[in-house]
Amino acid sequence: MENRGLPKDSDFDLMSEPSQRSHYIYMDHHATTPVDPRVLREMLPYFTERYGNPAGRNHAFGLEAEEAVEAARGRLAHLIGARTKEIIFTSGATESDNLAIRGVASFYEGKGDHIITSAVEHKAVLDTCKELERKGARITILPVDRDGLVDPEQVRNAITDRTILISIIFANNEIGTIQLVEKIGRIAAEKEVFFHTDATQAVGKIPVDVDFMHMDLLSFSAHKMYGPKGVGALFVRARNPRVRLHPILYGGGHERGLRSGTLNVPGIVGFGMACLIAEEVMEEEGERLLHLRTRLRNTLFRELDQVYLNGPWTGRLQGNLNLSFAQVAGESLLTGLRGIAVSSGSACTSAIPEPSYVLQAIGVPEDLARSSIRFGLGRFNTREEVDIVADEVIRAVRSLREMSSPYEPVTKTA
Ligand SMILES: *Cc1c(COP(=O)(O)O)cnc(C)c1O
């Protein structure tokens, strides 16, 4: 019979180590992460045995699913210092950002129409704000300094009596900059303006505490922290102050009416386990990643000249390294790298790659923005992999520079 791609039972090897499955070295953990095998193991029964709908409480299947969802909710809440009922499950951080910003803007329409955000937000925040602006809201996009930091005093000065929300990213997905969120939160609380943060890159990597940091809304996502794709959460403060918002999806009134739709039970269970693991390993993993990042930077800086660090060295996510390589044509850099998965500083959504708006916001010249590499180190990367990646980048940069040298004179920088 013709094989149309239907798998046989023997094809399944669900528990294999993610990093061993391909000969590629994966160093793009800001884009997504592999599911931790412990997370997958926790999820599996919820596909095949415990498949109840948590909204259907009139039999054991539903109750079992509901219990699992509530246990996961508790794990998420614990990781960020929230109360269990303050967690709303969504399909990911994009939805959480939309729900937070559009939900607050709509509910508090009568109170004000001004939102403060920054130039280095994820598109899920920036494009949502731009859409609201099109509909008449006023948006202030604050600039950042060379490290990618928002000045909290500029946040204070931007607040008017029409301001209803401040939305500032916790840790940047391109250059890893960790914002002074606690200071911004204190200003927001003092001025009685809600503070939302997109903490997708921060949760599970660095300590997050919504009370200490005065956060009113916080978005995060499972697939950036070794959980599955398609599940995220929004923290919505329940008291001191209570945040109210309008939903963006209407239906059965799930999630306290804020997000209708049958819950992604296996995904949520996996998200819960990812949070439990993160709490356990965060400190040690952070130290290990910082060590690997330092090794990678040191090797590249030793072997190559005209390499520039984008973003700060401290106050940065441990697994993030973003470098620009001068005298290399941006388009050829990524394609010239063999066997390693990293990202570049240009979005290849069009024929001509656009240099990253985040790198432009911190003042990186266009050509250097184009010839940048974002390394995103993660849980399963080893020291050996770091050395292979370093060797490959050195080889590629040297060979590209040799190729271009007859045509492009090397500009001497003083
Ligand atoms: C990945 C990411 C998002 C989008 O998350 P999804 O769950 O993929 O929708 C939003 N913000 C930041 C900072 C991210 O890194």
Side-chain angles (χ1 to χ4, degrees), residues 30 92-94 97 122 124 169 171 173 198 200-201 221 223-224:
H30 301 295
T94 300
D97 287 341
H122 190 272
I169 191 167
N173 47 301
D198 179 341
T200 312
Q201 296 289 344
S221 184
H223 79 99
K224 301 291 177 78

PDB file of all heavy atoms in Angstrom, residues 30 92-94 97 122 124 169 171 173 198 200-201 221 223-224, ligand 1:
ATOM      1  N   HIS A  30      15.596  32.458  22.170  1.00  0.00           N
ATOM      2  CA  HIS A  30      14.650  33.567  22.357  1.00  0.00           C
ATOM      3  C   HIS A  30      13.475  33.419  21.394  1.00  0.00           C
ATOM      4  O   HIS A  30      12.420  34.009  21.599  1.00  0.00           O
ATOM      5  CB  HIS A  30      15.327  34.914  22.125  1.00  0.00           C
ATOM      6  CG  HIS A  30      16.484  35.135  23.037  1.00  0.00           C
ATOM      7  ND1 HIS A  30      16.331  35.243  24.391  1.00  0.00           N
ATOM      8  CD2 HIS A  30      17.809  35.229  22.797  1.00  0.00           C
ATOM      9  CE1 HIS A  30      17.523  35.414  24.941  1.00  0.00           C
ATOM     10  NE2 HIS A  30      18.438  35.397  23.987  1.00  0.00           N
ATOM     11  N   GLY A  92      -0.914  32.341  24.260  1.00  0.00           N
ATOM     12  CA  GLY A  92       0.493  32.730  24.158  1.00  0.00           C
ATOM     13  C   GLY A  92       0.654  34.174  24.557  1.00  0.00           C
ATOM     14  O   GLY A  92      -0.325  34.876  24.858  1.00  0.00           O
ATOM     15  N   ALA A  93       1.883  34.644  24.530  1.00  0.00           N
ATOM     16  CA  ALA A  93       2.152  36.015  24.977  1.00  0.00           C
ATOM     17  C   ALA A  93       1.570  37.053  24.029  1.00  0.00           C
ATOM     18  O   ALA A  93       1.209  38.146  24.456  1.00  0.00           O
ATOM     19  CB  ALA A  93       3.649  36.223  25.146  1.00  0.00           C
ATOM     20  N   THR A  94       1.466  36.727  22.754  1.00  0.00           N
ATOM     21  CA  THR A  94       0.852  37.673  21.822  1.00  0.00           C
ATOM     22  C   THR A  94      -0.583  37.963  22.247  1.00  0.00           C
ATOM     23  O   THR A  94      -0.997  39.122  22.337  1.00  0.00           O
ATOM     24  CB  THR A  94       0.872  37.097  20.385  1.00  0.00           C
ATOM     25  OG1 THR A  94       2.234  36.871  20.004  1.00  0.00           O
ATOM     26  CG2 THR A  94       0.218  38.047  19.395  1.00  0.00           C
ATOM     27  N   ASP A  97      -0.592  39.986  25.588  1.00  0.00           N
ATOM     28  CA  ASP A  97      -0.306  41.410  25.354  1.00  0.00           C
ATOM     29  C   ASP A  97      -1.537  42.120  24.793  1.00  0.00           C
ATOM     30  O   ASP A  97      -1.891  43.217  25.219  1.00  0.00           O
ATOM     31  CB  ASP A  97       0.875  41.567  24.373  1.00  0.00           C
ATOM     32  CG  ASP A  97       2.222  41.210  24.994  1.00  0.00           C
ATOM     33  OD1 ASP A  97       2.319  41.180  26.242  1.00  0.00           O
ATOM     34  OD2 ASP A  97       3.178  40.964  24.238  1.00  0.00           O
ATOM     35  N   HIS A 122       8.237  44.149  22.019  1.00  0.00           N
ATOM     36  CA  HIS A 122       7.913  43.128  21.027  1.00  0.00           C
ATOM     37  C   HIS A 122       6.772  43.658  20.156  1.00  0.00           C
ATOM     38  O   HIS A 122       5.976  44.485  20.596  1.00  0.00           O
ATOM     39  CB  HIS A 122       7.472  41.850  21.754  1.00  0.00           C
ATOM     40  CG  HIS A 122       7.336  40.649  20.864  1.00  0.00           C
ATOM     41  ND1 HIS A 122       6.163  40.359  20.201  1.00  0.00           N
ATOM     42  CD2 HIS A 122       8.215  39.683  20.536  1.00  0.00           C
ATOM     43  CE1 HIS A 122       6.334  39.252  19.500  1.00  0.00           C
ATOM     44  NE2 HIS A 122       7.566  38.819  19.677  1.00  0.00           N
ATOM     45  N   ALA A 124       4.097  42.397  19.409  1.00  0.00           N
ATOM     46  CA  ALA A 124       2.775  42.118  19.989  1.00  0.00           C
ATOM     47  C   ALA A 124       2.275  43.304  20.806  1.00  0.00           C
ATOM     48  O   ALA A 124       1.070  43.530  20.908  1.00  0.00           O
ATOM     49  CB  ALA A 124       2.826  40.859  20.855  1.00  0.00           C
ATOM     50  N   ILE A 169       8.459  46.349  28.293  1.00  0.00           N
ATOM     51  CA  ILE A 169       8.970  44.977  28.233  1.00  0.00           C
ATOM     52  C   ILE A 169       9.933  44.718  29.395  1.00  0.00           C
ATOM     53  O   ILE A 169      10.711  45.587  29.761  1.00  0.00           O
ATOM     54  CB  ILE A 169       9.649  44.737  26.861  1.00  0.00           C
ATOM     55  CG1 ILE A 169       9.967  43.266  26.627  1.00  0.00           C
ATOM     56  CG2 ILE A 169      10.909  45.611  26.699  1.00  0.00           C
ATOM     57  CD1 ILE A 169      10.345  42.946  25.170  1.00  0.00           C
ATOM     58  N   ALA A 171      12.284  42.020  29.763  1.00  0.00           N
ATOM     59  CA  ALA A 171      13.615  41.688  29.235  1.00  0.00           C
ATOM     60  C   ALA A 171      13.491  41.543  27.728  1.00  0.00           C
ATOM     61  O   ALA A 171      12.578  40.874  27.244  1.00  0.00           O
ATOM     62  CB  ALA A 171      14.139  40.401  29.855  1.00  0.00           C
ATOM     63  N   ASN A 173      13.918  40.590  23.839  1.00  0.00           N
ATOM     64  CA  ASN A 173      14.130  39.327  23.135  1.00  0.00           C
ATOM     65  C   ASN A 173      15.275  39.379  22.136  1.00  0.00           C
ATOM     66  O   ASN A 173      15.695  38.356  21.633  1.00  0.00           O
ATOM     67  CB  ASN A 173      12.834  38.907  22.423  1.00  0.00           C
ATOM     68  CG  ASN A 173      12.203  40.048  21.656  1.00  0.00           C
ATOM     69  OD1 ASN A 173      11.857  41.084  22.218  1.00  0.00           O
ATOM     70  ND2 ASN A 173      12.086  39.871  20.356  1.00  0.00           N
ATOM     71  N   ASP A 198       5.545  42.940  29.441  1.00  0.00           N
ATOM     72  CA  ASP A 198       5.705  41.720  28.660  1.00  0.00           C
ATOM     73  C   ASP A 198       6.950  41.028  29.216  1.00  0.00           C
ATOM     74  O   ASP A 198       8.080  41.431  28.937  1.00  0.00           O
ATOM     75  CB  ASP A 198       5.876  42.076  27.180  1.00  0.00           C
ATOM     76  CG  ASP A 198       6.070  40.837  26.311  1.00  0.00           C
ATOM     77  OD1 ASP A 198       6.429  39.773  26.859  1.00  0.00           O
ATOM     78  OD2 ASP A 198       5.872  40.940  25.082  1.00  0.00           O
ATOM     79  N   THR A 200       7.809  37.834  28.815  1.00  0.00           N
ATOM     80  CA  THR A 200       7.964  36.552  28.132  1.00  0.00           C
ATOM     81  C   THR A 200       9.393  36.014  28.192  1.00  0.00           C
ATOM     82  O   THR A 200       9.597  34.810  28.322  1.00  0.00           O
ATOM     83  CB  THR A 200       7.527  36.688  26.659  1.00  0.00           C
ATOM     84  OG1 THR A 200       6.267  37.343  26.636  1.00  0.00           O
ATOM     85  CG2 THR A 200       7.421  35.345  25.992  1.00  0.00           C
ATOM     86  N   GLN A 201      10.373  36.902  28.080  1.00  0.00           N
ATOM     87  CA  GLN A 201      11.769  36.447  28.101  1.00  0.00           C
ATOM     88  C   GLN A 201      12.326  36.384  29.527  1.00  0.00           C
ATOM     89  O   GLN A 201      13.425  35.865  29.739  1.00  0.00           O
ATOM     90  CB  GLN A 201      12.647  37.376  27.257  1.00  0.00           C
ATOM     91  CG  GLN A 201      12.305  37.384  25.777  1.00  0.00           C
ATOM     92  CD  GLN A 201      12.692  36.105  25.055  1.00  0.00           C
ATOM     93  OE1 GLN A 201      13.475  35.291  25.559  1.00  0.00           O
ATOM     94  NE2 GLN A 201      12.155  35.896  23.880  1.00  0.00           N
ATOM     95  N   SER A 221       4.733  33.241  28.383  1.00  0.00           N
ATOM     96  CA  SER A 221       4.415  32.208  27.406  1.00  0.00           C
ATOM     97  C   SER A 221       5.201  30.933  27.699  1.00  0.00           C
ATOM     98  O   SER A 221       6.380  30.988  28.036  1.00  0.00           O
ATOM     99  CB  SER A 221       4.774  32.728  26.011  1.00  0.00           C
ATOM    100  OG  SER A 221       4.405  31.812  25.027  1.00  0.00           O
ATOM    101  N   HIS A 223       6.224  28.454  25.670  1.00  0.00           N
ATOM    102  CA  HIS A 223       7.240  27.926  24.742  1.00  0.00           C
ATOM    103  C   HIS A 223       8.572  28.673  24.806  1.00  0.00           C
ATOM    104  O   HIS A 223       9.539  28.267  24.151  1.00  0.00           O
ATOM    105  CB  HIS A 223       6.698  27.854  23.302  1.00  0.00           C
ATOM    106  CG  HIS A 223       6.682  29.141  22.546  1.00  0.00           C
ATOM    107  ND1 HIS A 223       7.664  29.481  21.642  1.00  0.00           N
ATOM    108  CD2 HIS A 223       5.804  30.163  22.538  1.00  0.00           C
ATOM    109  CE1 HIS A 223       7.365  30.657  21.109  1.00  0.00           C
ATOM    110  NE2 HIS A 223       6.245  31.097  21.641  1.00  0.00           N
ATOM    111  N   LYS A 224       8.639  29.746  25.566  1.00  0.00           N
ATOM    112  CA  LYS A 224       9.914  30.428  25.755  1.00  0.00           C
ATOM    113  C   LYS A 224      10.630  29.914  26.995  1.00  0.00           C
ATOM    114  O   LYS A 224      11.718  30.360  27.326  1.00  0.00           O
ATOM    115  CB  LYS A 224       9.691  31.945  25.871  1.00  0.00           C
ATOM    116  CG  LYS A 224       9.024  32.598  24.671  1.00  0.00           C
ATOM    117  CD  LYS A 224       9.911  32.608  23.446  1.00  0.00           C
ATOM    118  CE  LYS A 224       9.230  33.196  22.219  1.00  0.00           C
ATOM    119  NZ  LYS A 224       9.165  34.639  22.198  1.00  0.00           N
TER     120      LYS A 224
HETATM  121  C1  LIG B   1       8.040  35.337  21.891  1.00  0.00           C
HETATM  122  C2  LIG B   1       7.614  36.621  22.467  1.00  0.00           C
HETATM  123  C3  LIG B   1       6.282  37.047  22.385  1.00  0.00           C
HETATM  124  C4  LIG B   1       5.226  36.257  21.657  1.00  0.00           C
HETATM  125  O1  LIG B   1       4.907  35.110  22.368  1.00  0.00           O
HETATM  126  P1  LIG B   1       3.994  33.967  21.719  1.00  0.00           P
HETATM  127  O2  LIG B   1       3.684  33.080  22.879  1.00  0.00           O
HETATM  128  O3  LIG B   1       4.834  33.320  20.695  1.00  0.00           O
HETATM  129  O4  LIG B   1       2.787  34.636  21.179  1.00  0.00           O
HETATM  130  C5  LIG B   1       5.939  38.242  22.967  1.00  0.00           C
HETATM  131  N1  LIG B   1       6.865  38.982  23.618  1.00  0.00           N
HETATM  132  C6  LIG B   1       8.143  38.613  23.720  1.00  0.00           C
HETATM  133  C7  LIG B   1       9.103  39.477  24.460  1.00  0.00           C
HETATM  134  C8  LIG B   1       8.565  37.415  23.151  1.00  0.00           C
HETATM  135  O5  LIG B   1       9.841  37.063  23.242  1.00  0.00           O
END
